[in-house]
Amino acid sequence: MTVLIVEDERTLARELGIFLYQQGLACTVARTAREARAQLADSPFDFVLLDLGLPDGDGMALLAEAKQQELAAAVIILTARGAVEDRIRGLELGADDYLAKPFSLPELLARMHAITRRRFGLHKPRVAVGAFELDVQARRVLFGDQEVPLSVKEFDVLSYLVLHKNRVLTRLQLTEHIWGNLPESGFDSNYIDAHIKNLRKKLGQHADVEWLETVRGIGYRVRG
Ligand code: CA
């Protein structure tokens, strides 16, 4: 999952980025409305965390504009303004949720998980893929009652493909969704191939993994 953090307070932006990265989310930070516009035009995000008071404009206007351009990302408004009118206006403009500052990071994460489940129709916390089950909340892959031990990044690659079932995702898309542009620069797209290879090896010890397809010259797809 990728997150665009639109926040001009450096300390908060950094704190959010580090926390979400530790949870396996890839973060990009924009400190102005202008930077946010450029980022949104440039790459698709799963989440936008949007501060309302930006140095060069109002986050609300940015939201209205982005929604007009059919922004697909889920939006959570983060703001010191607790006013009911702001909250209502934000939700009317298409924000998915609203958190008044200061908020706790685990609460933010819980709200993000709830939105993900809603958006992807994951009302059941477990999603079947081949002979396996993905427990999205607990971040585990199960074969029957047995857990298949995966690394954090392997789980990220797999769950991202599963959430976009039947769609071909390029190595670049997977890379951006898993690493983002915050930490670990100097990324090599061979990492994705290595993770897929490990996934096939680990899952393949239990059952066939033909549903995890390589699309030659493009990337990968989970068929289901
Ligand atoms: Ca601000």
Side-chain angles (χ1 to χ4, degrees):
M1 294 280 170
T2 49
V3 185
L4 177 64
I5 301 168
V6 186
E7 172 60 72
D8 59 316
E9 278 171 52
R10 278 174 189 271
T11 319
L12 179 59
R14 186 169 166 71
E15 202 188 331
L16 281 169
I18 291 170
F19 172 74
L20 294 173
Y21 175 70
Q22 285 166 346
Q23 311 303 316
L25 298 162
C27 298
T28 300
V29 175
R31 293 198 171 84
T32 61
R34 197 170 152 217
E35 267 179 47
R37 264 185 216 107
Q39 286 294 345
L40 288 170
D42 204 42
S43 41
F45 290 93
D46 298 301
F47 277 95
V48 177
L49 306 182
L50 181 64
D51 175 36
L52 291 188
L54 296 168
D56 58 343
D58 186 356
M60 213 66 105
L62 183 70
L63 174 61
E65 197 184 301
K67 282 290 174 181
Q68 253 176 5
Q69 288 161 13
E70 299 185 346
L71 171 75
V75 178
I76 300 179
I77 291 176
L78 307 177
T79 181
R81 301 182 211 170
V84 176
E85 302 79 56
D86 269 348
R87 188 180 296 234
I88 292 170
R89 210 179 134 224
L91 296 176
E92 274 177 357
L93 282 174
D96 294 81
D97 210 340
Y98 189 110
L99 272 175
K101 290 181 195 169
F103 52 84
S104 83
L105 295 175
E107 183 181 2
L108 169 67
L109 190 65
R111 303 261 187 124
M112 290 172 77
H113 282 159
I115 291 170
T116 305
R117 288 196 298 278
R118 236 171 26 231
R119 290 210 150 207
F120 291 104
L122 305 180
H123 302 297
K124 287 183 289 180
R126 286 186 182 184
V127 187
V129 54
F132 302 90
E133 273 190 324
L134 224 76
D135 187 334
V136 181
Q137 250 173 321
R139 299 177 52 83
R140 297 192 309 162
V141 173
L142 300 161
F143 177 70
D145 292 335
Q146 217 180 332
E147 182 179 350
V148 184
L150 298 180
S151 74
V152 171
K153 295 301 180 199
E154 284 160 10
F155 183 87
D156 288 341
V157 171
L158 181 63
S159 63
Y160 199 69
L161 282 162
V162 170
L163 290 174
H164 295 88
K165 226 178 220 181
N166 296 318
R167 256 182 56 191
V168 181
L169 297 179
T170 64
R171 286 178 179 80
L172 182 64
Q173 278 172 326
L174 285 165
T175 303
E176 284 180 349
H177 277 265
I178 286 148
W179 280 270
N181 71 355
L182 195 63
E184 288 191 333
S185 55
F187 176 79
D188 177 347
S189 75
N190 288 328
Y191 287 167
I192 294 289
D193 297 333
H195 285 311
I196 296 279
K197 198 176 153 197
N198 286 340
L199 279 166
R200 285 192 174 127
K201 198 170 147 197
K202 289 181 178 179
L203 298 170
Q205 286 174 355
H206 301 277
D208 89 71
V209 282
E210 279 167 20
W211 44 267
L212 179 52
E213 294 178 335
T214 303
V215 181
R216 193 179 289 270
I218 306 178
Y220 296 96
R221 167 173 58 200
V222 160
R223 205 163 20 83

